[in-house]
């Protein structure tokens, strides 16, 4: 785990009253879930634009095969013509070569392989730029995700509608 991350572990228990989507009646739900998250500070790309040790211009140069912007307009026109004719378009400025693939792999390898992507929270509302962790906001966001978006009261039957005309 990186030094700029905070690991949060705990258990949330709650009693919630929800409204049934079938009967429009209130019913109680007991909810309990474990919280295991890694909170990471939001990195701003404004200013330096540093991505994996490379700036945006260098990444774009490598992805475009090192060529300048001069041939891209011609490639776009050729690509549009090729699409009208139903032919596949090869080349162009967005070709991903071995150097570009390696650069992307290096950027992705910066993330810890042992951490599940769903467990990493990167939200400025949770961990602000001043480094203060808002644990209440983190729990509220995770709690909302655990609630059933279409709650059904136990024992209620689905409504069957039929139209005749």
């Amino acid at each position: 785990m990186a030094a700029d991350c905070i690991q949060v572990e705990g258990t949330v228990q709650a009693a919630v009253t929800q409204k049934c989507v079938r009967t429009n009646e209130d019913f109680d739900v007991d909810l309990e879930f474990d919280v295991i998250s890694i909170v990471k500070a939001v990195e701003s790309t404004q200013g330096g634009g540093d991505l994996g040790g490379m700036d945006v211009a260098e990444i774009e140069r490598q992805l475009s095969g090192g060529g300048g912007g001069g041939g891209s307009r011609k490639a776009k026109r050729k690509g549009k013509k090729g699409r009208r004719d139903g032919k596949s378009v090869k080349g162009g400025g967005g070709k991903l070569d071995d150097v570009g693939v390696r650069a992307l792999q290096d950027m992705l390898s910066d993330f810890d392989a042992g951490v599940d992507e769903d467990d990493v929270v990167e939200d400025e509302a949770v961990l602000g730029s001043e480094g203060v962790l808002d644990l209440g906001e983190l729990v509220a966001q995770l709690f909302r995700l655990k609630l059933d978006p279409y709650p059904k009261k136990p024992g209620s039957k689905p409504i069957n509608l039929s139209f005749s005309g």
Side-chain angles (χ1 to χ4, degrees):
M1 182 168 55
D4 60 343
C5 296
I6 299 173
Q7 185 171 350
V8 178
E9 293 185 29
T11 302
V12 176
Q13 297 175 337
V16 182
T17 301
Q18 290 189 293
K19 191 172 289 281
C20 177
V21 295
R22 293 178 178 164
T23 63
N24 208 26
E25 296 175 350
D26 290 341
F27 67 101
D28 293 328
V29 176
D30 291 326
L31 187 65
E32 181 176 346
F33 61 94
D34 293 325
V35 175
I36 302 172
S37 295
I38 296 174
V39 181
K40 183 177 176 185
V42 177
E43 295 179 12
S44 175
T45 57
Q46 297 175 354
D50 185 36
L51 301 170
M54 300 176 1
D55 62 2
V56 176
E58 185 177 346
I59 292 171
E60 289 176 352
R61 253 192 325 275
Q62 286 187 0
L63 290 177
S64 66
S72 64
R73 189 173 196 180
K74 190 173 186 178
K76 285 182 185 176
R77 264 192 257 127
K78 182 179 179 181
K80 287 181 182 177
K81 181 180 177 187
R83 277 185 284 218
R84 275 188 242 132
D85 294 339
K87 299 176 186 174
S88 63
V89 179
K90 291 185 180 180
K95 187 175 177 183
L96 189 62
D97 58 1
D98 289 336
V99 175
V101 170
R102 272 185 254 136
L104 286 174
Q105 287 173 343
D106 289 341
M107 284 188 287
L108 293 174
S109 68
D110 289 340
F111 294 102
D112 188 8
V115 176
D116 187 14
E117 187 177 312
D118 293 338
D119 292 339
V120 177
V121 176
E122 191 172 1
D123 187 352
E124 193 168 0
V126 174
L127 185 60
S129 59
E130 59 275 347
V132 177
L133 175 66
D134 188 349
L135 192 57
E137 178 66 24
L138 175 65
V139 171
Q141 289 183 13
L142 295 174
F143 181 76
R144 179 64 185 110
L145 292 174
K146 296 293 181 178
L147 286 175
D148 184 0
Y150 301 104
K152 296 159 200 76
K153 184 176 179 179
S156 66
K157 302 212 186 285
I159 298 173
N160 291 323
L161 296 176
S162 62
F163 296 98
S164 60

